[in-house]
Each structure stands twice: as C-alpha cells, then as structure tokens.
Amino acid sequence: MEPWMSTTVPRWTPSPSPTRPLASVDKTEEKRDDDGGHRSNSWRSSSSSLRRHFPFNIIGGSVQDSDVPVSVLSAGKMEFEQDDDDGVCRKGVSLTWKDLWVTVSDGKGSQRPILEALDGCAQPGQVLAVMGRLGSNTRQTGDILINGHKQALAFGTSAYVTQDDTLMTTLTAREAVYYSAQLQLPDSMTKSEKLDRADTAIREMGLQRCVNTRIGGWNVKGLSGGQKRRVSICIEILTRPRLLFLDEPTSGLDSAASYHVMSRIIKLAQQDRRTVVASIHQPSGEVFELFHNLCLLSAGKLFFASSGFPCPSLQNPSDHYLRTINMDFEEDIEEGTGVMASTEEAINTLAESYRSSQTYQEVWQLIPKICKQEGGSTESKRSHASFFTQSLVLTKRSFVNMYRDLGYYWLRLAIYIALCLCVGTIFHDIGHSYGSIQARGSMLMFVAAFLTFMAIGGFPSFVEDMKIFERERLNGHYGVGAYVMGNTISSIPYLLIISLIPGAIAYYLVGLQRGIEHFIYFALVLFMCMMLVESLMMIIASIVPDFLMGIITGAGIQGVMMLNGGFFRLPNDLSKPFWRYPMYYIAFHKYANQGFYKNEFEGLTFPNSQVGGQGRITGEEVLKNFWQVEMCYSKWVDLAILIGMVVVYRVMFLGIIKLTEKVKPMLRSLKAPPPPRHSNQIVRTSSTSI
C-alpha cells in the first residue's frame, strides 16, 4: 500500500517570489538550513530527513529549498503546519482516508484500478492541490474519515465549488451573492446580518469593484472568468464551511487570473483555518508556489530527483512532474544519468525507490495520530432558511432572471404579439355564417395548440436553470420543494401577461363572443395551457439536459397530443384501443379545445346551409354533432381538469428530481465492479475526469 509522499519543490531564484508576502513568514523565526536555504518554523517536521530523501539538485544550476511539499498520490505523505509536537492540527476539520480504492470500468466488463490502497490526509489551515481527476463512473471503497471518525458532513460544514461557473447571467455579482445568502443562512439571522455576511464574502474575494456588474452571458458582456470564479467561491463560503473542495478553480483562466483566484483561496484557508482541497492542472509557476501540499494523481509513485528524474533548470516543476508520469503519450524520459527510460519504467523506478524510503514509514505515524485526536463532530446540523423564506427568495430571483432575459421574456412576448396579430387579421370579423363554424374551430385550435407550442422556446432557459439548481442542491442550499414552488410562482405573472395582451389582440380582432366573462375564460384556458407546456418542458429538462434533444423530445410529445386532441381527427373516429383510450384523455388539447368550443359556441346560433336541414342551428347542436364535444359537464370542469394536470405535472417534476438524486448514485455504484482487494497493477489516472 502506498501512502503520501512529501518533497521539496524547486523554485526559481532570479527574483523574489510574488507569493512570499502571502505566506506571512516572520523573518525572525526563519532558520538557515545546512545548504544555506531558508525554511520557516511553520514547517517543523523532519526537515533533515526531507533533505536526505528529496535532494532536488537542478540540472544546470541550484535552487533554494522550498517550504512547499509535494505529495504524489499513492506515493508518500504530506507535511502539515503543526500545532502540537505530534504533528497534528487540533482545530478545524481534518480529512483522512485509509485503504482507499477507486476503480473504473473499461467498457468490456472488466475493471481498471485508478487508486490502489491509498492512505493520506489534509489538515486545517492548508491547501492541498490535486493534479489529476477521477471519473463520475468510478467506484470507491475504503475509509474516508472526518476528524478521525466516520460521520456525515452536515450542511454548512463542507462546500464544493464546481469547475464550471454555473451562475445566473442576468444577475449582478452582488445580487448573486445576496440571494444565495438569504437562501442558505438561517432565519435566526436578520436580513441585514445576512447581507453583511454577503458583503464580507465579497470583500474576502476582492470583488468590491465589480459588485454592480452583471455576471454576463451570450448577449451581455459581464464579469471576467476570474471574477466569475470568485463569485462562485463567494457563494459557497457564506456558511463559513470548515472543509472546502474546489474542482479546477483555475480552469479556463489566464496565469494572472489564476494567481488572483488561488491567492484568495490561500488567504481564506490561513485566516479561518479551513481545510481546502483543490484539483488543478498544470498551474503556472506563481500559482505552484502558493500550495502548501501538492498531490499528483497519476502513476507517479516516488521522488523525482532522488530516483534519477531531476527537474531541469528554469522549468515549471508541475510541468515536469506531469510529463514524467503521464501514461497517455508514451515516450522515453531522460534520467539524470542521461539514460532514456520509458514512462512505465520511470513509474516503476519511482515506486521501488519510495517503498524503501523513510517517508513511507513516517506517513503511518501521522495518520493514526490524526485519527485518535478528539475532533469535533460535524453531524450537528446547521439550520437552513425556512421553506417559506426559500420559496420567496427563489421566486424573486427567478422573476428577476426572467424579466432581464431578452430571449425568454421580451423576445417571446414580441413573437406572441406578432402571431396574435396574424391570427386576428386572418380571421378578422369572423361573423356568424355557417362557414364561421369551421373558422372559429380552426382559430381556437391554433390558439390551444400552436400558440402554446411556442412555449418550448423557453427550454434553453430551463436547462440553464436546472444546471444552477443542480449546483446549488449539491451543496444543500435549499430544498427541492422550495425550488419547484418558487419556479411555479415566478412564472405566473409572465404567463398571465402573455395570455392577456396577445390573447386580447387575437380575441377581439377575430370578433369572438362578446362579454368580459367569455374573454376571462379564454385567457384562463390559454394561461393553463402555457403552464402545462412549460411544466412538460421542465420535466424533459430534468431528464434530457440537452438543448437539441430536449426540444425535439418536447416537440414530438406535443405533436402527438395535437393529433389526437379532437380537431384533426374527431373523437368518434379515433381507434379505441390506443388513440381513444387512453391517449385522447391524456392529451391536454382535448380539454383545451372543448373548453374553448363550449365558451365560444354556447348561446350562439348559425344559419343552416345543409340540404334538408332546419333554418338555424344552435351552438349546442354544433358542439354535439359537428365537433363531437362531451356535453355532460360544463366548460369549468375542463378548466379544472387543466389546473389539475398542471399540479400533476409539477408534482411529477418534483418526484423526478428527488428520484434522480437517489437513483443516480445507486446506478453508478451498480455499474462499476467492486475493486480488487489485492492487485499488482500500476495506478494510471492521468486523463479521467472528476
């Protein structure tokens, strides 16, 4: 079994490092090592043994000893800032893992080990950088301990910052943090206290100058990549978590932005004694100097310089480490002796050298001490904001987002107005002739089917909203019920506006039945149809989170409902085994069409142009014989059924989200085969994803 390794990292010597002030090293407490280098007293454990086992002699020159240890996963241990003589930090949250195995399926029914029997730890006040990632389809066994014990991480104790900055693009930086503070912080805090906490987080991440700038998206230029990343971190540190995980905090950023982001993270760890674990790939030299510990998540299993793989002069050490142990592109690597060795040979050399080192034994002394410490329990739950507060805040945030979203709100409203103008002018002054019976039915069917069909245009917004929801649910910001409630309430004003303004244009230009009660019913049915289609698209967004596939799926489902909604094919002509029962009664178009027809035709009379017919026919006769409408109940029952279907769709949306949260981890664990307890395979993980 291979624990963690620590070694000194070469630094560039021509100029002082810009990160030195960040470390806050008291010069009066510095010691001069035997080789003339400086080392702070904050690193007290076995510096002499480190020099003995990790001689980083640079090819073509020499460098100063570093106060930043490097950890090669499955290869050694980490040096930590120590509060006591036994090397264990007593405050905050300590994270340890023992006999950790991770495997991934190779797609052929067998498994490939990613990590093999690993032991390691991360302690408060320090940042552990992990270079390399694990896939989501992996399976893990072993013990992962919090303060030396198996315990659940309660809300507010830990936080996870995702690689992608999934933020509402229409909000400003201040609004994004403010809304999150009101969602996460308990009702025992006043609103002013929550906003003060948000302002503190904004200052800690250095965002004071851009608090009124929108996050920005495809249509509005907003924050830079580094600023967005700091907003994401701001949101997750509002509860002051003691354990912070960051996935690729410098991904997509230039070297300057990467440095500013990581420097803020280092300050947070040191000021509040947080335990920070961050995955990162090929950091710049300045960023590399910020880390307290570095874990190379790959096949590397030992010390580079002492095994014949020294870092060349003026080369970024992180680049050298990853190139040496990268199995994706097999190539010969030059050892210090000038001999060329393959990547696998280099890995085996590193592994054998490590197993015979003193550091291999040192890690076994540190981890048990951490596990025996009297660490505080994290299972005591911190209180959330109440369901009412969460629903109210989510409603406000969602409404602001919709109102500011050009495509979701204003463009759709303009298209609805344009379509209703087209309908109104084409069917203008429809009259009461016999031919108007067919014209009225066609116009009402278009409103019930095609106007509501346009609601699928909001699907991209639903997908983006689901991404934000998944990120916030990952850290327990609020409950699923509050999200569904807030989303539902916030959409009501917008859909009412669409139903009233464009609906009134079409209704009165066509000249449908006079009377305000008839128009109100028309607008209510149109509103409920809009709600139904949006609910349907939200269900699809929770299952098919892809723009193109989701829109195709939603259009297909609505197309089927239109076909058997009672217009293109009359109800009595539908084949009974499937299309009449049950599809006809499942399609909401049935109840929308029947409600519209009853609202329009009841009370009217039309001249009968049929040969041998009566002089005039009533609207009730038209409904029964022409449109084959069920006349055994009133139009208000059709409206009530539509309302009930909206409730059912929203409950289905809620259930699918909850089911997905529970079933996904179970399916993932079932797909991945159990890891072997004894294996001689080499760990190779340089290209999997977290």
Side-chain angles (χ1 to χ4, degrees):
M1 292 186 290
E2 297 88 357
W4 294 73
M5 171 197 84
S6 292
T7 182
T8 49
V9 178
R11 299 276 182 88
W12 290 270
T13 56
S15 60
S17 168
T19 65
R20 291 303 181 190
L22 193 62
S24 301
V25 177
D26 189 350
K27 293 184 178 180
T28 61
E29 294 184 6
E30 289 185 338
K31 291 184 179 180
R32 182 169 297 276
D33 294 332
D34 295 337
D35 58 359
H38 295 278
R39 183 175 302 276
S40 169
N41 269 344
S42 62
W43 302 95
R44 294 191 227 134
S45 66
S46 60
S47 61
S48 60
S49 66
L50 288 176
R51 290 196 305 275
R52 181 170 65 255
H53 289 287
F54 315 117
F56 259 84
N57 298 317
I58 300 300
I59 296 176
S62 60
V63 297
Q64 195 173 336
D65 276 351
S66 168
D67 57 357
V68 179
V70 171
S71 302
V72 178
L73 190 61
S74 73
K77 79 163 190 178
M78 298 181 292
E79 291 283 318
F80 293 105
E81 184 177 351
Q82 302 164 0
D83 291 344
D84 299 305
D85 293 336
D86 59 2
V88 180
C89 294
R90 300 297 182 187
K91 300 177 181 179
V93 171
S94 295
L95 180 69
T96 59
W97 46 98
K98 300 169 63 178
D99 193 24
L100 181 63
W101 289 75
V102 176
T103 59
V104 63
S105 174
D106 60 2
K108 300 178 181 179
S110 58
Q111 56 183 326
R112 181 167 63 95
I114 302 295
L115 305 178
E116 299 184 26
L118 305 183
D119 298 75
C121 54
Q123 295 206 69
Q126 310 220 339
V127 176
L128 167 64
V130 181
M131 295 176 66
R133 298 177 295 178
L134 296 179
S136 59
N137 60 339
T138 59
R139 185 169 183 176
Q140 169 254 315
T141 60
D143 296 330
I144 299 179
L145 309 177
I146 307 298
N147 286 338
H149 306 284
K150 286 186 176 181
Q151 54 181 303
L153 284 170
F155 167 73
T157 302
S158 68
Y160 174 65
V161 181
T162 58
Q163 178 178 353
D164 299 322
D165 298 311
T166 311
L167 303 165
M168 281 192 175
T169 58
T170 57
L171 301 180
T172 66
R174 175 183 279 119
E175 288 172 337
V177 181
Y178 275 14
Y179 280 126
S180 189
Q182 294 176 65
L183 286 170
Q184 297 186 67
L185 300 177
D187 287 342
S188 58
M189 298 178 65
T190 64
K191 185 176 181 179
S192 61
E193 290 175 336
K194 292 181 180 181
L195 298 186
D196 287 343
R197 177 76 65 86
D199 287 331
T200 300
I202 289 172
R203 288 194 300 271
E204 288 177 340
M205 297 308 298
L207 292 169
Q208 301 94 317
R209 295 184 178 180
C210 58
V211 289
N212 295 318
T213 304
R214 290 193 185 182
I215 303 297
W218 65 271
N219 61 331
V220 178
K221 182 175 175 58
L223 300 178
S224 66
Q227 290 169 337
K228 290 180 181 178
R229 192 60 45 87
R230 282 183 278 165
V231 171
S232 297
I233 298 172
C234 265
I235 290 172
E236 301 306 334
I237 64 174
L238 288 169
T239 59
R240 295 177 180 171
R242 291 181 287 170
L243 183 58
L244 182 62
F245 298 95
L246 302 106
D247 181 16
E248 295 283 357
T250 62
S251 176
L253 306 182
D254 57 32
S255 58
S258 298
Y259 172 77
H260 287 298
V261 169
M262 288 307 303
S263 65
R264 297 287 176 174
I265 294 172
I266 299 293
K267 286 183 179 179
L268 285 177
Q270 293 177 338
Q271 290 173 358
D272 300 331
R273 297 196 53 78
R274 291 185 173 100
T275 302
V276 180
V277 179
S279 67
I280 190 169
H281 282 170
Q282 290 189 279
S284 65
E286 290 181 340
V287 172
F288 188 74
E289 290 181 335
L290 297 176
F291 305 141
H292 298 98
N293 303 282
L294 177 65
C295 160
L296 294 179
L297 180 58
S298 188
K301 291 189 175 181
L302 193 40
F303 324 135
F304 286 83
S306 61
S307 301
F309 301 96
C311 180
S313 178
L314 302 181
Q315 179 173 330
N316 188 342
S318 64
D319 293 339
H320 173 67
Y321 301 151
L322 289 176
R323 185 179 65 85
T324 303
I325 63 177
N326 194 323
M327 297 291 294
D328 290 344
F329 304 96
E330 185 70 29
E331 62 179 28
D332 292 336
I333 300 170
E334 184 175 358
E335 300 186 42
T337 59
V339 179
M340 303 300 292
S342 68
T343 303
E344 187 164 351
E345 290 173 347
I347 293 172
N348 291 332
T349 301
L350 295 172
E352 291 301 323
S353 176
Y354 167 71
R355 291 190 183 99
S356 61
S357 69
Q358 178 181 347
T359 309
Y360 182 86
Q361 303 299 325
E362 291 177 352
V363 70
W364 290 98
Q365 300 174 9
L366 178 62
I367 294 178
K369 292 176 182 178
I370 296 176
C371 293
K372 291 178 182 179
Q373 68 178 332
E374 294 296 329
S377 174
T378 65
E379 292 184 354
S380 57
K381 294 185 178 180
R382 302 186 189 183
S383 59
H384 292 75
S386 66
F387 174 82
F388 176 79
T389 300
Q390 291 179 350
S391 300
L392 183 61
V393 173
L394 288 170
T395 299
K396 291 180 180 178
R397 188 180 72 172
S398 182
F399 182 77
V400 169
N401 179 52
M402 286 191 297
Y403 177 77
R404 294 178 181 174
D405 192 329
L406 177 65
Y408 182 86
Y409 190 93
W410 297 106
L411 182 59
R412 286 177 65 192
L413 180 59
I415 291 175
Y416 277 116
I417 291 175
L419 282 173
C420 287
L421 281 172
C422 293
V423 171
T425 52
I426 290 173
F427 293 93
H428 178 64
D429 196 12
I430 201 167
H432 293 83
S433 65
Y434 184 82
S436 70
I437 295 175
Q438 179 65 42
R440 290 173 190 271
S442 299
M443 179 268 178
L444 293 171
M445 186 282 303
F446 181 87
V447 171
F450 291 100
L451 274 187
T452 57
F453 183 85
M454 292 296 297
I456 67 173
F459 184 78
S461 297
F462 300 153
V463 172
E464 292 301 318
D465 196 57
M466 283 299 300
K467 292 179 180 179
I468 296 171
F469 166 76
E470 290 172 357
R471 190 258 301 169
E472 292 174 333
R473 276 292 293 169
L474 186 66
N475 287 295
H477 291 187
Y478 47 80
V480 179
Y483 170 73
V484 175
M485 181 65 71
N487 189 282
T488 302
I489 298 174
S490 63
S491 64
I492 290 176
Y494 165 66
L495 295 179
L496 276 176
I497 291 174
I498 288 182
S499 303
L500 291 171
I501 299 176
I505 294 173
Y507 191 91
Y508 288 107
L509 279 178
V510 172
L512 299 180
Q513 265 215 67
R514 303 300 178 183
I516 188 63
E517 69 278 3
H518 289 283
F519 171 71
I520 291 176
Y521 183 89
F522 174 86
L524 286 175
V525 172
L526 179 58
F527 167 73
M528 297 314 303
C529 289
M530 297 280 191
M531 286 285 290
L532 271 168
V533 175
E534 291 219 341
S535 301
L536 174 64
M537 298 309 295
M538 289 176 66
I539 291 174
I540 295 174
S542 65
I543 302 174
V544 187
D546 178 80
F547 290 164
L548 182 59
M549 293 184 64
I551 290 176
I552 292 173
T553 303
I557 293 174
Q558 286 207 75
V560 172
M561 290 183 176
M562 286 181 201
L563 280 174
N564 66 329
F567 177 82
F568 296 102
R569 188 70 168 166
L570 293 174
N572 293 340
D573 297 330
L574 292 171
S575 56
K576 293 184 179 180
F578 180 74
W579 293 111
R580 181 68 182 272
Y581 306 105
M583 294 302 297
Y584 176 64
Y585 291 92
I586 293 176
F588 73 87
H589 297 81
K590 168 190 182 299
Y591 309 100
N593 288 337
Q594 289 196 145
F596 277 150
Y597 291 166
K598 292 176 183 178
N599 184 61
E600 177 59 24
F601 286 98
E602 287 180 344
L604 296 181
T605 60
F606 302 90
N608 189 358
S609 61
Q610 293 180 334
V611 177
Q614 299 177 4
R616 298 189 70 83
I617 57 175
T618 64
E620 287 76 7
E621 290 176 321
V622 171
L623 291 172
K624 184 177 180 180
N625 301 321
F626 194 93
W627 296 116
Q628 298 180 6
V629 172
E630 298 173 357
M631 300 298 294
C632 56
Y633 55 86
S634 73
K635 64 181 182 182
W636 298 104
V637 174
D638 290 301
L639 179 60
I641 293 174
L642 291 174
I643 294 173
M645 292 182 73
V646 170
V647 174
V648 170
Y649 278 28
R650 294 284 169 161
V651 172
M652 286 177 60
F653 177 56
L654 174 67
I656 289 172
I657 293 177
K658 283 186 169 291
L659 186 64
T660 302
E661 289 182 348
K662 293 183 179 180
V663 170
K664 269 189 177 180
M666 296 172 59
L667 292 177
R668 191 178 298 133
S669 62
L670 290 175
K671 286 181 181 179
R677 302 310 300 170
H678 301 284
S679 173
N680 293 323
Q681 297 184 34
I682 296 176
V683 179
R684 297 171 182 145
T685 63
S686 57
S687 62
T688 51
S689 60
I690 199 160

